[in-house]
Structures are given as structure tokens and as C-alpha cells.
Amino acid sequence: MSKKFDLTDKTAIITGGGSGIGRAIAMALADSGATSIILDLNLDGAIAVVEEIQAAGGKAEAHSCNVADHEEVQRVFGDILKGRSLDILINNAGIAHVGNILTTSVEDFDRIYSVNIKGVFNTLKAGVEAMKNSGGSIVNLSSVAAHVGISDRFAYSTSKGAVHAMTLSVAKDCLSYGIRCNSISPGRVHTPFVDGFLAKNYPGNEKEMFETLSKTQPIGRMGKPDEMGSLVLYLCSEEASFITGSDFKIDGGFVTLNT
Ligand SMILES: NC(=O)c1ccc[n+]([C@@H]2O[C@H](COP(=O)([O-])OP(=O)(O)OC[C@H]3O[C@@H](n4cnc5c(N)ncnc54)[C@H](O)[C@@H]3O)[C@@H](O)[C@H]2O)c1
């Protein structure tokens, strides 16, 4: 019997794999046989995940990289891919921001743009260049914020809408290279991203806000990083070979069941 979702001998780059959803994705891909190569601003976080993967018998590497820096992304991809090909790219690194059109400063907007949009552009450019001769699978992290109006998320929603559009564009333009490109749109997932948001915006009230945010998913809780990892694993596998240009909501019913 053959094993499903087998990624033996595949090489995967995961941006922002040193924490939260990216960590869970790196672990899921490595658990299925891939070498998970983590690119993160926070090298210590990336190394800790690599050590976890190796302790469980998997293959992984950590590299320091700021996805917002075009030259650095080009150099890091060049170093990593000397003598090997790239099969999987996960564009997961992203940052959050709270504010509406009136309270979002130009500096805030530029910061979100530089990581969540230009960062994805930078790694897509390097990744597609590396995959264009042998094909591969790309998964981008969008968000429910790309699909519905979430209050006070002007810059963040804009950036995730752009991720959605970049996914469609790459999926269409790169069909002939054998590259599939999809995105996932999580609802709230319990990660350091959420804990940091609560600590910054609701100091002293974190527990109550955690409950409130949990209940905004009709299913009654936040998502778990491992649930994101499993969906991404599927999308990267041969089992998903008929899927490209699709976005998958993984949100406990947030977009479709909240009336
Ligand atoms: N957690 C959620 O509720 C949620 C919901 C929808 C979408 N998302 C998206 O999922 C992705 C991961 O979110 P998370 O909750 O795991 O976040 P997280 O903050 O736990 O992890 C993000 C990781 O990205 C890294 N990173 C940040 N900026 C970087 C840069 N410029 N270059 C390289 N690495 C960088 C961080 O160091 C960190 O390791 C993000 O794109 C986020 O927008 C998260």
C-alpha cells in the first residue's frame, strides 16, 4: 500500500516557520518526509523548530532572512538552492496591524506592505525562478480578512487581499511551468500572533478578549496551528495535483456561517 501525502525527497521553504502556523507547517511537511527549510527574521525561533523536527527524526534547516529585503531573499534562496531543486514554497511570514483608514499611518501602511505584500512578491519571484523547470507547489497565507470586512484591519486586510490576487496571478501565469499555486484563508488561529495582539491591545483583559475572539468563530473556538499544517500538507502533496488557483477558508465557519 502506498502512503498518502508522501513528500519523501522534497525540499520545502517555509517563510516565518519559526513560530505559530509556519512552525506547524514546517513540522507537518517534515513529518511526511520533506526537508523543511525555515526562513525567519527570528533565527533563534527557527533553530528551535529545526531542533524539534530533528529530534522527531525529520529533516530541517534554519536560515535568517528578512522577506521584505529583495536582495537578501535573492541571496538566501541562491545559497540554499546550490545543488538542489525547490519543490514547495510556503509564503507564511506576515505581520498584523490594528487600525481603520483614518488611524492607519503612512508608516504603518508601508510596514505592512513591505512584509505582507512585497515580502510575498520577493519570495514568489525567487521561488518561481527556482521551480520553473521542474514544477512545484506554492501555498500562500491569506486570511478571512481578504474576504470579509473585519473592523479595524484596513492595512492587514488590504495586504491579504493582495496575497489572494497574487495567488491567482501566479497560478495562471505559471501553469505551463507545472507550478500549482493556492492560498489558505484562516480565521483566528491561536498562535503567538494572537497572544501578542491581545497583550498589546487589551492589557489586563487578555482572558476575556480571548473568549470573545474564540466565539467569533461559529464553531466556538480558535483554530489550531496543526489544523493549518494538515491543510497545507494536503495542498503540497500529489493528492492535490488537480488543485491550483484556489483559496481554502479554514475558519470554523467564520466567513460563510456568521449571519
Ligand atoms: N494567527 C491567526 O489568527 C492568523 C489568521 C489568518 C492568517 N494568519 C497569517 O498566518 C501567517 C502566520 O501567522 P502566525 O499567527 O503564525 O504568526 P506568528 O507571529 O506566530 O509567526 C510569524 C513568523 O513570521 C516571522 N516574520 C515576521 N516578519 C518577518 C519577515 N519580515 N521576514 C521573515 N520572517 C518574518 C516571525 O519572526 C514569526 O516567526 C501570517 O501571514 C498571518 O497573517 C494568521
Side-chain angles (χ1 to χ4, degrees):
M1 300 282 282
S2 64
K3 197 177 149 219
K4 285 211 180 280
F5 318 120
D6 186 13
L7 300 182
T8 303
D9 295 333
K10 302 284 186 196
T11 300
I13 289 181
I14 303 107
T15 71
S19 172
I21 295 173
R23 170 186 167 277
I25 294 171
M27 298 196 62
L29 300 185
D31 191 47
S32 277
T35 299
S36 284
I37 302 177
I38 296 173
L39 269 46
D40 206 300
L41 257 189
N42 175 3
L43 185 59
D44 289 344
I47 290 172
V49 176
V50 166
E51 286 172 353
E52 260 186 283
I53 290 172
Q54 290 172 341
K59 287 178 275 182
E61 293 171 22
H63 297 262
S64 171
C65 182
N66 178 2
V67 296
D69 183 331
H70 185 74
E71 278 72 38
E72 191 173 322
V73 168
Q74 288 288 321
R75 180 177 51 72
V76 172
F77 269 67
D79 289 347
I80 290 171
L81 298 174
K82 272 192 194 107
R84 61 179 161 187
S85 56
L86 179 65
D87 304 293
I88 294 166
L89 171 64
I90 313 297
N91 286 311
N92 164 80
I95 55 174
H97 178 257
V98 176
N100 63 31
I101 181 66
L102 296 177
T103 59
T104 300
S105 68
V106 173
E107 292 73 22
D108 289 336
F109 194 81
D110 283 347
R111 191 167 45 84
I112 297 299
Y113 166 81
S114 70
V115 179
N116 292 9
I117 301 179
K118 190 165 171 229
V120 175
F121 163 78
N122 287 337
T123 49
L124 278 173
K125 201 166 175 63
V128 168
E129 184 64 41
M131 286 177 173
K132 71 180 186 201
N133 294 319
S134 46
S137 173
I138 299 173
V139 179
N140 299 322
L141 266 289
S142 183
S143 163
V144 290
H147 302 279
V148 293
I150 296 184
S151 343
D152 264 345
R153 296 291 186 286
F154 176 77
Y156 182 75
S157 304
T158 302
S159 72
K160 292 302 182 181
V163 170
H164 187 218
M166 285 191 276
T167 302
L168 295 175
S169 186
V170 168
K172 188 162 257 183
D173 290 341
C174 300
L175 262 180
S176 60
Y177 302 144
I179 296 173
R180 295 185 297 108
C181 184
N182 296 292
S183 57
I184 71 166
S185 285
R188 279 196 189 86
V189 182
H190 188 202
T191 68
F193 188 89
V194 170
D195 292 334
F197 163 77
L198 292 175
K200 184 170 168 213
N201 296 288
Y202 303 95
N205 259 341
E206 288 100 328
K207 208 166 173 294
E208 290 80 350
M209 269 318 285
F210 185 88
E211 288 309 315
T212 307
L213 292 184
S214 296
K215 288 190 189 121
T216 58
Q217 279 69 231
I219 220 164
R221 64 169 174 87
M222 294 191 197
K224 299 174 191 161
D226 286 351
E227 292 168 329
M228 311 301 125
S230 299
L231 176 56
V232 172
L233 167 62
Y234 167 66
L235 289 172
C236 293
S237 71
E238 265 308 294
E239 281 69 18
S241 54
F242 198 49
I243 302 177
T244 191
S246 289
D247 177 77
F248 289 79
K249 295 174 189 76
I250 173 161
D251 64 354
F254 182 84
V255 170
T256 43
L257 304 184
N258 266 330
T259 51

